[in-house]
Amino acid sequence: MASSDERQCGECTLCCKVMAIEALAKPAGSWCAHCNPGRGCMIYVERPTECGSFGCLWLINDLLDERWKPSRSKLVLTTSEDGIEIRCDPGAPHAWRREPYASEIRAWAEEGERDDMTVVVIVGQRMILITPEREFDLGIVGPDDRIVRELEGAKVVGATVVKELNAASDSVDD
């Protein structure tokens, strides 16, 4: 990934809504009590370490153009050990289905299938696994749940959610 030293959050505060913040017991999908939407963090100097170290993919990757800025797209892109996560603003839950985003997400799913990487869309706690040919709506996926993919070769033909203790090695980490 190409790093961008030039980009800044500016008026964008969408991560303060879509991300869970463990240190503040803030769930994903609701505004942080310390966020002034469109303006920034009211406790910026004292903000939790997880907030200070966070950088969405638009902020750090020059390959994502201005259309992908979260305040514009309503999507916050992050990575996981298994692939890419597209965190959608619950106020615009279908933003990921609009163009140019839908085509790009599908292209990432095609690349991911070749490279054993996953692409998931997250709206609140609801998760959708995206593959080149279909979507697997997994419903609410909790922190102790894992996604297990059923594969035919590299092609995903099924997906289920299981508790971590029962998860196979082919799971998507949340």
Side-chain angles (χ1 to χ4, degrees):
M1 291 199 181
S3 177
S4 176
D5 296 328
E6 313 255 333
R7 291 186 177 171
Q8 297 182 3
C9 299
E11 85 294 345
C12 185
T13 55
L14 190 57
C15 63
C16 300
K17 183 178 186 182
V18 301
M19 303 298 293
I21 305 170
E22 190 173 322
L24 299 175
K26 188 206 90 60
S30 63
W31 283 109
C32 176
H34 304 289
C35 179
N36 186 349
R39 296 219 161 162
C41 181
M42 296 182 293
I43 61 165
Y44 188 80
V45 175
E46 296 89 24
R47 71 193 185 278
T49 302
E50 64 190 288
C51 297
S53 63
F54 179 77
C56 73
L57 289 181
W58 176 82
L59 199 59
I60 62 174
N61 187 332
D62 285 336
L63 297 176
L64 297 171
D65 63 27
E66 284 297 312
R67 297 175 296 179
W68 285 95
K69 185 172 184 177
S71 57
R72 181 176 182 177
S73 66
K74 305 300 181 200
L75 305 169
V76 175
L77 278 61
T78 61
T79 58
S80 70
E81 292 176 14
D82 299 293
I84 189 166
E85 297 175 343
I86 298 125
R87 297 174 185 274
C88 196
D89 181 349
H94 299 291
W96 65 279
R97 294 187 182 279
R98 296 189 328 244
E99 291 299 339
Y101 316 114
S103 295
E104 192 72 23
I105 291 166
R106 193 68 61 194
W108 294 337
E110 289 174 15
E111 185 178 331
E113 190 170 81
R114 287 190 304 271
D115 298 336
D116 194 28
M117 300 293 282
T118 59
V119 176
V120 294
V121 172
I122 302 168
V123 182
Q125 293 180 341
R126 181 174 166 233
M127 207 175 273
I128 303 163
L129 175 66
I130 308 298
T131 69
E133 296 176 2
R134 62 184 285 210
E135 301 165 6
F136 295 91
D137 189 337
L138 303 169
I140 294 175
V141 179
D144 294 332
D145 296 336
R146 294 292 173 254
I147 301 168
V148 177
R149 300 173 296 156
E150 180 184 337
L151 303 174
E152 284 183 4
K155 184 178 179 178
V156 178
V157 295
T160 56
V161 177
V162 296
K163 293 291 176 200
E164 185 174 289
L165 295 176
N166 297 330
S169 62
D170 189 16
S171 65
V172 175
D173 287 333
D174 187 8

